[in-house]
Amino acid sequence: MAARHHTVPQMYLRNFADGSGGIMLANRDDPGLTFKTSTRKAVAERGFYRIETEDLARDEDRVEHDPEAIENALSQVEGAIAASIKRLVEPGSTPDQTDWYRLIQFAALQTVRGRRWREDMVALATQAARTSILAELDDEHIRVWLVAQDLPAGPDDVAAFYESLQGSRFPRLIPPQAVLVQESLKMAFGDPATGDLGLQQFLAGKSVSLIRTSRVAVLTSDEPVCWWSPGDAPIGYATAQMVWVPLSPRLILQFRDPDFDPAAHGVPDVADYLAKFVNGLVAAQADRWIIHHPSDAPLADMQLPARELWGDELVAERDEEDGTRRELFVHRRLRPQE
């Protein structure tokens, strides 16, 4: 049986634990459903980072391959990061250059190591495949396929089938786990073969600060890194103007574009009010679990929005002289309409 892998490391969860090592987990879709568990059992899935030997493409890579190599490497990285976080959660502590490097590394890694990033990867891969295939697909190809399946193949049937492929009927393209694991690490840390610097490059250019609260308890989730920009436009790693990472029930790590004025865009500038703001964002983007210290109640009176789902948003349309209407859609995470 495959080993259990934490998608959020234990060294991080311990900062939200009580003296017995317990933390509170609340269901993302029904926050009233809560239970206490240990950091050892929380937010862990069997074989999440495991790469089987037979999944490796090159024979030379299979020699003495350890399927748990990625999990073991992550544990080593987490050990170095844990020392910085443990020191910084102490009141009055200040980070040095090594701490900042480790915090950037942690934020980049934690952004991509959970289910949310994998869901994004599948959605974008599926959309790319759908766009490519539909661009080459014509009525005759569809008619021949319908006939081969012993299905009605009249003009209306062909049109209906094409329209169905534009929506949810198109099969999801799910990359192998080995690809998902390898690509997530490239996204976080870059790829020396191409010179790409990964997510760390977007964090390193930001101003970094620690937000310490006095009265408001900070929560976290199974997706604790929040990339944010004002407005409703899609947020990319290169365009996010703020990034927040809860580090403890009284500490939030903040990255900010140097030229961005948070207060001018409605971001609270008082630590406790900012904590409430960040709590709402981190809880809303949770995949399954919202996490907090057993003695705290940060979800009290919080109204979580509906979960964002991948879909197509119409962003522009134009009528041509021949009567054709052209529409431009963006494939992105959308909040369901009330």
Side-chain angles (χ1 to χ4, degrees), residues 8 23 31 50 67 70 80-81 111 114 134 142 147 171 173 175 203 215 233 248 255 291 307 322:
V8 180
I23 55 175
R50 185 179 176 88
I70 298 300
I81 296 171
T111 295
L134 292 180
I142 296 176
V147 170
L173 182 63
L203 295 166
R215 296 182 303 276
S248 82
F255 298 87
I291 303 164
R307 182 187 293 273
D322 62 1

Side-chain angles (χ1 to χ4, degrees), residues 115-334:
R115 284 194 167 273
R116 182 182 177 91
W117 184 85
R118 290 193 183 185
E119 181 182 333
D120 291 349
M121 183 78 165
V122 169
L124 293 173
T126 300
Q127 174 65 6
R130 178 172 63 175
T131 301
S132 176
I133 290 173
L134 292 180
E136 300 295 328
L137 196 62
D138 57 26
D139 290 355
E140 181 60 18
H141 282 99
I142 296 176
R143 188 192 68 78
V144 169
W145 186 86
L146 291 174
V147 170
Q149 303 300 313
D150 199 24
L151 296 171
D156 290 343
D157 303 308
V158 170
F161 183 81
Y162 184 89
E163 184 176 352
S164 72
L165 290 181
Q166 292 179 305
S168 59
R169 184 172 178 178
F170 192 90
R172 296 175 75 218
L173 182 63
I174 303 178
Q177 172 152 311
V179 173
L180 291 170
V181 172
Q182 291 167 341
E183 291 302 314
S184 67
L185 295 179
K186 287 182 183 179
M187 175 68 75
F189 300 136
D191 184 359
T194 63
D196 178 57
L197 300 177
L199 295 183
Q200 295 179 113
Q201 65 183 309
F202 304 120
L203 295 166
K206 289 178 166 54
S207 300
V208 191
S209 57
L210 297 174
I211 309 299
R212 298 187 187 273
T213 68
S214 57
R215 296 182 303 276
V216 175
V218 176
L219 57 74
T220 188
S221 77
D222 54 9
E223 296 289 348
V225 184
C226 180
W227 298 69
W228 182 87
S229 283
D232 189 48
I235 300 171
Y237 300 126
T239 60
Q241 292 168 308
M242 304 283 292
V243 181
W244 290 289
V245 188
L247 293 182
S248 82
R250 290 293 182 270
L251 183 64
I252 299 173
L253 172 65
Q254 175 176 280
F255 298 87
R256 176 182 60 83
D257 277 357
D259 298 329
F260 180 70
D261 183 359
H265 293 85
V267 179
D269 56 3
V270 176
D272 283 338
Y273 290 106
L274 177 61
K276 289 185 176 181
F277 181 77
V278 174
N279 277 352
L281 295 173
V282 174
Q285 74 174 28
D287 179 61
R288 295 178 180 177
W289 305 113
I290 302 166
I291 303 164
H292 62 83
H293 190 282
S295 298
D296 296 331
L299 291 170
D301 302 322
M302 182 184 292
Q303 296 295 319
L304 287 179
R307 182 187 293 273
E308 290 182 338
L309 302 173
W310 277 94
D312 296 318
E313 180 184 30
L314 178 64
V315 295
E317 53 187 346
R318 184 180 72 218
D319 292 325
E320 304 288 356
E321 293 182 358
D322 62 1
T324 301
R325 168 163 289 190
R326 297 187 179 275
E327 298 176 331
L328 176 63
F329 288 86
V330 171
H331 196 60
R332 58 170 293 196
R333 285 184 176 270
L334 296 168

